[in-house]
């Protein structure tokens, strides 16, 4: 629970005592409604904080007691420009009178030091809660979540204030804020460590040198300028006594105009370090020690802020802003320690550790600079995380509103992507472009184990297919020594195709993500084939290792010498010979076959060239290690070879496969293909929705941060119109894909073939439009490997051909329309 604001007071420290009678006379003359003849007048000091001393005034008679807050400069000699209470008063009055930013009301300012010894001002007392510890102990998880979201929105509210409209246009200089702040705080650090004061730390000089060399360009242009609080953190907020909303932002001593991203980074310091006055040392922050349940991760907090404020995602310069915040904190703590040595620190004896802590903050800053990855390249999208609106409709009023189980899985999946997948994308990409491209990054296997533990494994497995596999191979009969629990976990969460759609979309935002959750193509389609059509032995030998993620698979159907969009053209032969089949032919675009973990292919060929047209084909399981199989070359997709997954051209020369490997029986290949390509085709469409969402997100961020012809791209009317049209098309396609999933669940693959064909045409074309526009907004960067856009575009373009070209699906749709018309 938070501390009540009235409970944070103690006796006035000896160094901060002043003339109470003089204060009373001044307040009675200058504060409207101040009791003039009270029976009680009491002053106590707030113990929280170590900046300008702050006091509680209680005045009145009997039950008619009023409370006010006084904030003053500390006594003694002070550093130049520090503790300017007149500036605090100015900003609080402007915000309170002209904006909706939650601040306490101010009553009067006294700049005459003869009244109580220093300048001061009086403001209203806010009855509420203050959370001293950012871990929010003894607070329910859902409350923690709401409190953090309210914190982000309060900061966004502050940063949205129009300083020109409220009389604060001269409150500070807007450009080159970081340069001036570095100079100011370094100067104050030097002043606090001059002769006879705390010893200087040579690493502080190293840190300052790095900061000066890495100031973001946006700082000089003023692109991120506005009102800056200067010390924004959760313990400088007053929350409503019972509601999880901010009613007051306090402690404005460091406020000015400048780079607002400095505020944002400083508000995130508790994720990086844990600094407490009553502790001897600085310890690791929540990012390392672990997030208490319900508390937003740093990317989630930043996403909430960016969404509320309209600011672009700060990944590019985040390392600087965090290092700057740690530097500034170190300078402030050095000053506090110096004041403690002189005996006038507001925090009293609690400030005795600040000298050592200042040096540890410098170490933390240098350590953060040395880190390779500090923030995902893009935010968890508030727009795509529709859970709050979904939850409000769980009464069943919406047709495609997911249930609570799916919402919870979706939240876990989003968090896993933000925390583990996006930060690794560059590393995966580097390996895929190196001489070691056909090897697996060790982190991928670690992430797979994490996904299993999180319950995010094999989510694609349909509930009906899982039931069949369990019947075929019970936990007590499996030969893989799996426990009953482990066996059950292999079959996912028992989701329908519709339910999986909400999750598959999230995975589609990254080209690397599906495999981490064992939900990548062609494995999902291949596993679905064995789940639906495999016998007990085939399930045991091939399906279980695939479900465990120990091996991967490939699908071999397309052939280089024929138009394989008409599968009746394929020529690869599967000839029966005793207890075996002999395979001869060439396949290409065998996805997954280049992967070093690929152990089995599902191959489609002809077992009887003289049978009826759609009874000639069969599917068979082929061990990749069988003699006669030769991987001729990897194939590229617009220059991407998709290593280590890959698409291979493979020759089969007298490849002998056991007859038991035939699936379902000879001549049933088309039947299996139709069953396989229902969910399989739709999974691609689901992932394309996610790819398009990522394109929208990156495009909007770019438009908000880049200027052309004197204004941000987002301010050009043509862009706004294009963005809106793309959003309309994306949402329509999402509904079509969900409708197709719903039809699959209710009517099966055959009856759903029409809407499946529509989704298969609509999703790639929509995604291509979105990604092409995103690339255009990014300019040359969009076609490079510096963003994920080019790779996503190449994948989307390929999917207009894979699993059947558009023309085939359009033919299906048109024929069904004519059939429907002929029955009218």
């Amino acid at each position: 629970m938070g501390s009540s604001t009235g409970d944070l007071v103690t006796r006035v420290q000896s160094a901060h005592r002043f003339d109470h009678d003089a204060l009373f006379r001044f307040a009675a003359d200058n504060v409207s409604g101040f009791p003039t003849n009270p029976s009680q007048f009491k002053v106590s000091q707030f113990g929280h904080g170590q900046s300008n001393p702050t006091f509680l005034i209680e005045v009145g008679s009997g039950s008619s007691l009023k409370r006010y807050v006084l904030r003053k400069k500390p006594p003694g000699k002070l550093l130049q420009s520090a503790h300017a209470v007149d500036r605090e008063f100015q900003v609080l009055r402007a915000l309170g009178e002209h904006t909706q930013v939650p601040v306490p009301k101010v009553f009067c300012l006294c700049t005459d030091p003869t009244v109580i010894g220093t300048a001061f001002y009086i403001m209203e007392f806010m009855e509420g809660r203050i959370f001293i510890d950012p871990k929010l102990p003894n607070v329910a998880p859902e409350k923690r979540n709401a409190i953090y979201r309210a914190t982000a929105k309060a900061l966004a509210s502050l940063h949205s204030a129009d300083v020109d409209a409220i009389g604060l246009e001269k409150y500070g200089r807007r450009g080159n804020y970081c340069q001036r702040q570095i100079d100011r705080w370094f100067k104050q650090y030097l002043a606090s460590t001059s002769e006879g004061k705390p010893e200087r730390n040579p690493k502080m000089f190293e840190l300052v040198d790095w900061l000066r060399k890495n100031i973001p360009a946006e700082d000089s242009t003023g692109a991120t300028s506005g009102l800056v609080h200067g010390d924004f953190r959760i313990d400088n907020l007053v929350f409503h006594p019972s509601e999880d909303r901010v009613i007051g932002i306090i402690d404005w001593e460091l406020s000015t105009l400048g780079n607002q991203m400095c505020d944002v980074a400083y508000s995130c310091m508790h994720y990086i370090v844990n600094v407490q006055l009553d502790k001897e040392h600085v310890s690791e922050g929540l990012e390392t020690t672990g997030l208490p349940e319900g508390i937003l991760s740093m990317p989630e907090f930043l996403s909430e802020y960016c969404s509320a404020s309209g600011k672009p995602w700060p990944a590019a310069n985040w390392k600087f802003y965090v290092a700057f915040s740690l530097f500034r904190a170190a300078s402030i703590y050095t000053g506090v320690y110096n004041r403690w040595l002189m005996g006038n620190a507001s925090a009293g004896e609690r400030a005795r550790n600040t000298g050592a802590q200042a040096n540890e903050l410098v170490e933390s800053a240098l350590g953060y600079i040395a880190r390779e990855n500090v923030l995902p390249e893009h935010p968890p999208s508030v727009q795509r995380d529709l859970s709050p609106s979904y939850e409000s409709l769980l009464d069943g009023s919406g047709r495609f509103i997911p249930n609570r189980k799916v919402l919870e899985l979706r939240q876990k999946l989003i968090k896993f992507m933000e925390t583990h997948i996006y930060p690794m994308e560059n590393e995966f990409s580097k390996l895929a472009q190196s001489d070691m491209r056909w090897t697996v990054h060790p982190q991928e296997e670690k992430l797979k184990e994490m996904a299993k533990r999180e319950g995010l494994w094999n989510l694609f497995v349909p509930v009906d297919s899982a039931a069949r596999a369990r019947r075929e191979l019970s936990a007590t009969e499996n030969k893989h020594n799996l426990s009953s629990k482990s066996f059950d976990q292999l079959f996912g969460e028992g989701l329908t195709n519709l339910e999986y759609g909400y999750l598959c979309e999230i995975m589609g935002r990254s080209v690397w993500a599906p495999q981490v959750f064992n939900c990548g193509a062609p494995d999902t389609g291949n596993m679905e084939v064995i789940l639906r059509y495999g016998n007990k032995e085939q399930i045991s030998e091939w399906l279980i290792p695939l479900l465990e993620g120990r091996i991967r698979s490939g699908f071999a159907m397309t052939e280089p010498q024929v138009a394989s969009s008409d599968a009746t053209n394929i020529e690869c032969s599967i000839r029966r010979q005793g207890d075996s089949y002999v395979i001869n032919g060439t396949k290409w675009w065998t996805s997954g076959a280049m992967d070093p973990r690929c152990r089995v292919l599902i191959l489609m060929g002809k077992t009887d060239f003289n049978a009826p047209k759609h009874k000639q084909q069969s599917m068979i399981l082929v061990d990749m290690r069988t003699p006669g199989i030769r991987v001729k070359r990897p194939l590229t997709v617009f220059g991407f070879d998709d290593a280590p997954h890959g698409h291979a051209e493979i020759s089969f020369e007298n490849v002998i496969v056991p007859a038991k490997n035939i699936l379902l029986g000879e001549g049933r290949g088309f039947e299996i293909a139709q069953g396989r390509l229902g969910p399989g085709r739709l999974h691609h469409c689901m992932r394309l929705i996610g790819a398009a969402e990522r394109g929208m997100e990156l495009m909007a961020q770019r438009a908000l941060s880049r200027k052309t012809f004197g204004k941000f791209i987002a301010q050009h009317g043509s862009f706004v119109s294009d963005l809106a049209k793309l959003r309309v098309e994306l949402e329509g396609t999402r509904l079509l894909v969900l409708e197709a999933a719903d039809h699959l669940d209710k009517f099966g693959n055959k009856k759903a073939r029409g809407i499946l064909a529509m989704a298969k045409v609509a999703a790639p074309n929509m995604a291509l439009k979105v990604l092409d526009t995103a690339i255009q907004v990014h300019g040359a960067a969009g076609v490079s490997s510096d963003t994920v856009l080019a790779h996503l575009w190449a994948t989307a373009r390929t999917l207009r051909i894979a699993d059947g070209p558009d023309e085939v699906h359009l033919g299906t749709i048109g024929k069904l329309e004519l059939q429907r018309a002929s029955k009218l």
Side-chain angles (χ1 to χ4, degrees), residues 195-262:
E195 187 176 348
K197 296 179 180 178
E199 184 179 351
R200 289 176 179 171
N201 182 353
K203 290 190 176 182
M204 178 62 114
F205 292 78
E206 179 185 341
L207 174 57
V208 169
D209 183 59
W210 185 91
L211 290 170
R212 284 172 170 165
K213 291 177 180 177
N214 288 275
I215 297 173
E218 64 192 18
D219 186 66
S220 60
T221 63
T224 52
S225 69
L227 181 61
V228 173
H229 180 272
D231 195 17
F232 191 93
R233 55 180 195 254
I234 199 167
D235 59 329
N236 274 334
L237 304 177
V238 179
F239 284 79
H240 187 276
S242 59
E243 300 172 14
D244 298 321
R245 60 184 177 89
V246 177
I247 60 173
I249 304 172
I250 57 177
D251 201 350
W252 290 80
E253 178 197 343
L254 301 177
S255 60
T256 186
L257 301 186
N259 190 327
Q260 294 179 327
M261 289 313 302
C262 295

Side-chain angles (χ1 to χ4, degrees), residues 144 366 442 785:
R144 290 172 177 163
L366 294 173
S785 59

Side-chain angles (χ1 to χ4, degrees), residues 381-598:
S381 172
V382 174
Q383 183 174 352
R384 76 173 186 275
D385 180 10
L386 302 175
S387 301
S389 58
Y390 283 154
E391 288 202 56
S392 67
L393 294 173
L394 284 179
D395 58 1
S397 58
R399 183 172 181 184
F400 294 138
I401 303 303
N403 58 42
R404 195 170 300 279
K405 175 183 178 179
V406 174
L407 288 175
E408 290 173 354
L409 286 170
R410 181 182 168 89
Q411 291 290 351
K412 288 173 66 176
L413 189 59
I414 289 172
K415 191 166 187 176
F416 193 101
M417 294 279 288
E418 297 298 336
T419 307
H420 304 296
I421 301 292
Y422 300 136
M424 282 300 299
E425 283 185 319
N426 284 339
E427 292 302 312
F428 291 150
S429 183
K430 286 178 186 176
L431 180 64
Q433 297 175 48
S434 72
D435 293 339
M436 299 290 289
R437 57 163 49 86
W438 302 111
T439 62
V440 179
H441 198 292
Q443 190 64 26
E444 182 180 316
E445 295 302 316
K446 293 179 182 177
L447 290 177
K448 286 165 67 174
E449 291 304 313
M450 292 174 64
K452 288 179 184 178
R453 291 195 298 270
E454 292 276 341
L456 299 174
W457 188 253
N458 289 339
L459 295 172
F460 77 95
V461 178
V463 61
D464 56 341
S465 298
R468 178 187 182 275
R470 285 190 175 97
R471 288 195 302 270
E472 288 289 329
L473 185 66
S474 68
T476 56
E477 295 175 319
N478 83 81
K479 66 179 183 181
H480 299 273
N481 298 317
L482 295 171
S483 67
S484 178
K485 180 179 179 182
S486 297
F487 184 80
D488 287 339
Q489 287 177 337
L490 294 182
F491 296 99
E493 293 294 320
L495 304 176
T496 64
N497 287 293
L498 175 59
E499 290 172 332
Y500 178 59
Y502 298 99
L503 309 176
C504 189
E505 172 188 332
I506 305 302
M507 300 178 202
R509 293 175 59 85
S510 170
V511 294
W512 308 99
Q515 164 57 16
V516 169
F517 305 103
N518 214 34
C519 291
D523 292 320
T524 54
N526 289 342
M527 286 189 274
E528 176 73 358
V529 165
I530 305 174
L531 279 162
R532 285 174 176 262
Y533 308 112
N535 59 37
K536 181 176 178 178
E537 188 173 357
Q538 291 165 347
I539 290 172
S540 177
E541 184 173 3
W542 297 112
L543 178 62
I544 296 299
L546 281 168
L547 288 171
E548 289 180 300
R550 292 191 287 111
I551 65 171
R552 293 205 67 184
S553 63
F555 185 68
M557 187 186 81
T558 307
E559 298 178 2
Q561 67 273 21
V562 298
S564 302
S565 57
D566 178 359
T568 62
N569 287 335
I570 63 174
E571 298 176 347
C572 180
S573 68
I574 307 174
R575 182 171 52 86
R576 181 70 181 255
Q577 189 177 81
D579 292 332
S580 303
Y581 286 96
V582 180
I583 303 173
N584 281 283
T586 300
K587 298 287 186 181
W588 71 345
W589 297 108
T590 303
S591 296
M594 294 299 301
D595 195 303
R597 298 160 295 186
C598 184

Side-chain angles (χ1 to χ4, degrees), residues 741-752:
D742 193 44
H743 276 234
L744 265 179
D745 293 327
K746 292 178 178 177
F747 309 118
N749 296 353
K750 186 174 182 180
K751 290 186 178 180

Side-chain angles (χ1 to χ4, degrees), residues 190 237 545 574 657 687:
L190 295 175
L237 304 177
I574 307 174
V657 178
R687 284 189 285 266

Side-chain angles (χ1 to χ4, degrees), residues 15 88 157 162 166 194 203 223 242 245 260 277 315 347 354 399 536 549 553 572 579 581 631-632 688 718 775 821:
E88 289 188 42
S157 170
D162 185 344
I166 63 176
S194 58
K203 290 190 176 182
S242 59
R245 60 184 177 89
Q260 294 179 327
L277 285 181
T354 52
R399 183 172 181 184
K536 181 176 178 178
S553 63
C572 180
D579 292 332
Y581 286 96
V631 177
K632 298 173 70 174
L688 283 168
S718 60
I775 288 170

Side-chain angles (χ1 to χ4, degrees), residues 769-798:
K769 284 184 184 179
V770 172
L771 293 167
D772 186 72
T773 308
I775 288 170
Q776 197 71 10
V777 170
H778 279 74
V783 296
S784 75
S785 59
D786 287 357
T787 75
V788 73
L789 292 171
H791 204 165
L792 289 174
W793 185 93
T795 300
R797 182 61 185 86
T798 305

Side-chain angles (χ1 to χ4, degrees), residues 582-586 626-630 632 651-656:
V582 180
I583 303 173
N584 281 283
T586 300
T626 307
I629 295 177
R630 182 167 71 92
K632 298 173 70 174
S651 65
F652 298 82
E653 298 179 12
N654 296 318
V655 175
I656 300 173

